[in-house]
Amino acid sequence: NTQTGVMLRMPSNRVVCWCVVILSIAFSLAGCSMPDNVVRYTDVNVVEWQEEAVVQYENKSDDDARLCDMDMLFHVNRHFVADTLDVRITTITPDSLRYTERLYIPVKVEWNKATEYSADVLVPYRRNVTFDKRGVYVIGIEPVVAVSGVESVGINFQMK
């Protein structure tokens, strides 16, 4: 009874170190051309969300020509039964300018399995936004009418 197999030789520590360095450089260079994706969210009262949820986005760049897409993110559970969210969104810029708008957001939750208890709902909000001021942007999201079944609320910032 004979067994045949392939014997693998482990690379030396020097080879492993160089591979790590090369891969790190490759990933950092690839990251320069890929868009940034930043998700900011906050937990809300799941029983009855009625207070403003605040998220912050910090613009650390002086590059005001860079565009950003923004999507609203709602993490909901099975108690969420609404098909539309009526929300008030207030944005405060780093230089203290304030803009408030009211939106009716159609929300469709798709449950893939009967055992799923929660789901993420991503809804397009703004396209081709520029953050032309350096600093922290504060965005408040508040339901006009109390909503149950929402666990957290946020915004997905996708830099182009």
Side-chain angles (χ1 to χ4, degrees), residues 26-151:
F27 284 134
S28 66
L29 289 175
C32 292
S33 62
M34 295 177 65
D36 298 329
N37 190 26
V38 178
V39 178
R40 299 282 187 246
Y41 62 93
T42 186
D43 292 338
V44 297
N45 184 346
V46 69
V47 175
E48 188 177 63
W49 172 40
Q50 60 185 359
E51 296 180 5
E52 183 178 51
V54 176
V55 295
Q56 296 183 353
Y57 175 77
E58 183 175 2
N59 181 18
K60 297 178 183 178
S61 173
D62 288 326
D63 182 12
D64 61 351
R66 195 161 180 207
L67 298 176
C68 173
D69 289 344
M70 297 167 61
D71 296 326
M72 302 289 295
L73 175 65
F74 301 98
H75 186 74
V76 300
N77 63 30
R78 291 276 183 173
H79 297 286
F80 179 78
V81 294
D83 59 354
T84 304
L85 283 174
D86 183 6
V87 296
R88 187 176 300 116
I89 301 173
T90 301
T91 303
I92 303 171
T93 63
D95 57 350
S96 299
L97 293 177
R98 177 184 296 261
Y99 175 73
T100 301
E101 61 186 328
R102 186 171 174 178
L103 297 176
Y104 296 95
I105 302 173
V107 178
K108 180 168 175 33
V109 181
E110 295 183 12
W111 301 103
N112 296 328
K113 298 177 185 171
T115 57
E116 281 184 334
Y117 182 72
S118 60
D120 289 327
V121 179
L122 205 61
V123 180
Y125 171 51
R126 293 276 182 224
R127 296 291 175 253
N128 298 322
V129 175
T130 57
F131 295 100
D132 59 351
K133 303 284 187 240
R134 187 180 193 142
V136 176
Y137 289 77
V138 179
I139 302 168
I141 306 161
E142 179 182 9
V144 174
V145 178
V147 180
S148 63
V150 178
E151 296 180 4

